[in-house]
Amino acid sequence: MTDFSEWFHNILEEAEIIDSRYPIKGMHVWLPNGFKIRKNTLNILKDILDKEHDEVLFPLLIPEDELAKEAIHVKGFEEEVYWITHGGLTELNKKMALRPTSETAMYPMFSLWVRSHTDLPMKFYQVVNTFRYETKHTRPLIRVREITTFKEAHTVHSSREDAEKQVEDAIKIYKEFFDILGIPYLITKRPVWDKFPGADYTMAFDTLLPDGKTLQIGTVHNLGQTFAKTFEITFETPEGEHEYAYQTCYGLSDRVIASVIGIHGDDSGLCLPPEVSPYQIVIVPIIFKKGGEEVIAACSEIQSKLKDAGFRVHLDDRDLRAGKKFYDWEMRGVPLRVELGPRDLSNNNAVLLRRDTMEKVNISLADDIVEQVNNLMSDISLNMREKALKKMNEEIREVSTIEDAKESIESEKGIISFAWCGEEACGKEIEEKANVDILGIQEEDEISGKCFHCGSEAKFKAFMAKTY
Ligand code: 5CA
Ligand code: ZN
């Protein structure tokens, strides 16, 4: 993969994930194969969220006055909002925004719903499309103007501690989700100048793409009481007093799929985790002139066994060379291939090929094929996760001077860790001098010594990278 950007663009097209030719910049079409990956991925997240959240669905449009209510929030989004100004030929006397995110759609309603401490906590999520007029270079799934799969959760609590705990819980949820997908991540607290507009603080998940740039793949925000004060979200305490509620929100986007594709893929194409791959197993009969029917019959039998066991299986009986079929399914990232020819059949064997390692395994059809496939699948998931994690960890380097940081980033990209004072002025200087972004800090790691740039007392371990 010499040029990731080109590889990514080509694979989206070749594996029929996205058609990026839609005639609006930053808006794309999900193709059937991509849509299945999207659906499987979404189901994993929904299963986790559904344990403690209720799913809801709010309108796409937000009236101008609600959007404008939270001053810091609206300032943060003002350059990114799409506006609806007309209904037919009539100019609207109140403009309406296409949601860039849904705080200002939801919170006026939360203000009606939250009454007493007994109503709290409230935990909602919705999966919707959101619109952001991005001015940076757009790319399918990575930076889009219509985020088609925005998974946003919004919670309301009766104390600061509860909201803080929710931030921790949300981080756990996202960890579990990314672990299932084998996506490695670095979790940091964003610097104040990079937090979500209106939040007290922002915790972010970043992953590393093959070109050495990091991608923010999820964020968890503690909103404190800022929005509650703006939208009058109050509750009655057990003592009969009225207090502003505490809120959090957290979200993921189409970037989740971009990272599954980018992180696990290779020169042969996609390599999908079994959990999300549209087909988990393809069976390719190796047919010569003689013995074709027996081979197909044996393949069908294997197919039914695996289907009954709950796998998504496909028997590829197209009239094509086996080599062409191998190429197709490898490119589409199917985790496991079963090959069966007349010779295998007479030996009561089959050949399995793992996409993640490209290793061939001979199995006996006398043994329980479901059990063997089950074992292989868990091994594939585990191996994909570990390989990706190892690769990312190898790209995190510690440096002790800003000159080293600059050089290291320029020659090898990746992520740099350093000792930092945490001051905004110093941070901005670092970003400018090393031509990077500071991702954030890890507060839980105690650190001693001096800030690697300004020389004052270091307070945090911090991270920087070239970012998307
Ligand atoms: N309301 C909060 C929580 S849902 C919110 O909007 N947070 S956000 O702005 O940080 O967006 C959530 C996540 O969406 C980000 O962490 C990032 O991974 C992703 N995201 C943001 N903008 C885009 C975009 N233009 N294209 C693709 N993904 C995006
Ligand atoms: Zn400093």
Side-chain angles (χ1 to χ4, degrees):
M1 207 186 282
T2 42
D3 182 340
F4 171 68
S5 190
E6 190 186 318
W7 177 91
F8 186 68
H9 192 88
N10 291 341
I11 198 66
L12 291 183
E13 189 178 313
E14 212 188 344
E16 297 178 2
I17 292 168
I18 290 277
D19 196 328
S20 55
R21 293 171 299 177
Y22 191 75
I24 298 181
K25 181 177 145 77
M27 302 192 186
H28 310 109
V29 181
W30 282 98
L31 295 169
N33 193 44
F35 197 85
K36 287 179 187 126
I37 301 172
R38 176 185 183 271
K39 188 170 83 180
N40 294 336
T41 309
L42 198 51
N43 284 342
I44 296 171
L45 183 69
K46 283 188 159 193
D47 282 345
I48 305 175
L49 287 176
D50 284 339
K51 288 181 199 153
E52 287 202 6
H53 302 68
D54 285 308
E55 189 173 0
V56 292
L57 183 58
F58 276 72
L60 164 64
L61 301 184
I62 304 172
E64 182 177 22
D65 48 351
E66 295 295 348
L67 187 80
K69 257 186 195 158
E70 210 326 285
I72 309 168
H73 181 72
V74 72
K75 188 100 192 82
F77 278 103
E78 73 184 347
E79 287 176 25
E80 294 186 12
V81 176
Y82 281 93
W83 288 105
I84 298 204
T85 55
H86 287 75
L89 298 178
T90 313
E91 187 168 341
L92 302 175
N93 46 30
K94 201 198 267 181
K95 287 196 291 184
M96 290 181 284
L98 298 188
R99 62 181 159 223
T101 166
S102 303
E103 284 72 13
T104 58
M106 293 183 166
Y107 300 173
M109 301 306 291
F110 285 13
S111 150
L112 304 173
W113 298 348
V114 176
R115 284 278 158 268
S116 150
H117 66 98
T118 56
D119 298 330
L120 303 176
M122 281 184 184
K123 302 183 193 181
F124 299 108
Y125 79 93
Q126 68 177 7
V127 183
V128 293
N129 50 353
T130 56
F131 296 81
R132 295 183 182 184
Y133 185 73
E134 295 279 356
T135 45
K136 274 176 141 183
H137 182 66
T138 60
R139 280 168 214 278
L141 304 176
I142 291 178
R143 175 167 285 103
V144 287
R145 286 181 169 178
E146 179 182 12
I147 307 176
T148 59
T149 327
F150 199 64
K151 301 155 271 255
E152 52 177 326
H154 295 260
T155 69
V156 191
H157 306 268
S158 56
S159 71
R160 187 169 301 280
E161 295 71 44
D162 246 31
E164 267 162 19
K165 183 170 172 300
Q166 189 60 35
V167 168
E168 293 310 314
D169 287 350
I171 291 174
K172 276 194 206 127
I173 288 173
Y174 286 175
K175 277 180 161 176
E176 183 183 348
F177 176 59
F178 288 128
D179 285 346
I180 293 173
L181 302 176
I183 300 176
Y185 43 78
L186 177 73
I187 305 172
T188 60
K189 183 176 190 175
R190 283 280 184 259
V192 282
W193 63 89
D194 197 23
K195 65 184 186 183
F196 183 68
D200 279 7
Y201 63 88
T202 290
M203 302 298 298
F205 285 70
D206 291 289
T207 196
L208 190 66
L209 291 182
D211 57 1
K213 288 200 282 185
T214 61
L215 180 68
Q216 174 182 303
I217 48 172
T219 29
V220 181
H221 314 289
N222 190 333
L223 302 177
Q225 291 177 303
T226 304
F227 287 87
K229 287 178 180 164
T230 307
F231 289 94
E232 283 291 323
I233 306 173
T234 60
F235 64 96
E236 193 175 324
T237 65
E239 294 74 37
E241 272 152 38
H242 288 268
E243 202 188 324
Y244 288 112
Y246 298 82
Q247 294 177 276
T248 82
C249 67
Y250 31 102
L252 305 170
S253 77
D254 306 350
R255 286 182 182 179
V256 171
I257 308 281
S259 18
V260 169
I261 293 169
I263 285 167
H264 300 305
D266 58 25
D267 287 333
S268 308
L270 296 181
C271 178
L272 294 175
E275 289 76 4
V276 302
S277 188
Y279 290 132
Q280 296 165 310
I281 305 159
V282 294
I283 305 172
V284 180
I286 316 285
I287 300 175
F288 306 98
K289 294 227 168 60
K290 270 196 297 189
E293 272 137 49
E294 284 88 357
V295 169
I296 295 277
C299 286
S300 301
E301 200 186 312
I302 294 176
Q303 183 188 26
S304 345
K305 276 190 193 155
L306 292 170
K307 234 183 204 159
D308 291 346
F311 289 107
R312 298 185 286 271
V313 202
H314 177 64
L315 170 55
D316 185 357
D317 55 4
R318 289 177 298 171
D319 188 15
L320 288 175
R321 281 188 306 110
K324 162 76 174 127
K325 297 182 185 177
F326 293 173
Y327 173 89
D328 275 0
W329 299 117
E330 277 164 24
M331 185 268 294
R332 282 174 179 247
V334 176
L336 203 60
R337 177 168 89 217
V338 180
E339 297 168 25
L340 188 80
R343 170 124 39 100
D344 303 309
L345 193 56
S346 58
N347 294 334
N348 207 23
N349 276 348
V351 178
L352 303 185
L353 178 117
R354 304 169 53 148
R355 176 64 182 84
D356 63 327
T357 57
M358 291 294 210
E359 278 166 354
K360 284 193 171 183
V361 192
N362 280 298
I363 61 156
S364 165
L365 293 175
D367 300 333
D368 181 4
I369 189 163
V370 169
E371 193 191 323
Q372 301 183 74
V373 166
N374 259 326
N375 291 340
L376 267 173
M377 287 296 183
S378 348
D379 206 54
I380 291 172
S381 298
L382 188 69
N383 175 56
M384 286 176 68
R385 176 158 74 242
E386 283 179 348
K387 199 161 91 182
L389 181 64
K390 184 162 169 278
K391 204 164 146 199
M392 176 152 158
N393 283 339
E394 281 168 5
E395 298 293 331
I396 304 181
R397 302 179 296 277
E398 194 178 335
V399 304
S400 46
T401 67
I402 192 158
E403 289 74 27
D404 287 352
K406 190 171 159 60
E407 207 213 279
S408 183
I409 280 276
E410 247 138 53
S411 60
E412 297 175 71
K413 297 275 178 53
I415 301 170
I416 299 287
S417 75
F418 60 100
W420 186 38
C421 63
E423 292 304 320
E424 179 161 353
C426 172
K428 289 265 175 76
E429 258 181 50
I430 294 172
E431 288 191 335
E432 194 170 316
K433 283 205 171 143
N435 191 19
V436 291
D437 289 317
I438 293 183
L439 298 175
I441 56 169
Q442 285 180 343
E443 282 175 319
E444 61 277 17
D445 280 347
E446 294 277 324
I447 172 164
S448 57
K450 303 278 175 231
C451 168
F452 95 143
H453 178 50
C454 72
S456 55
E457 206 61 42
K459 294 211 181 85
F460 309 107
K461 180 175 183 179
F463 297 85
M464 61 164 92
K466 296 270 189 196
T467 61
Y468 265 94

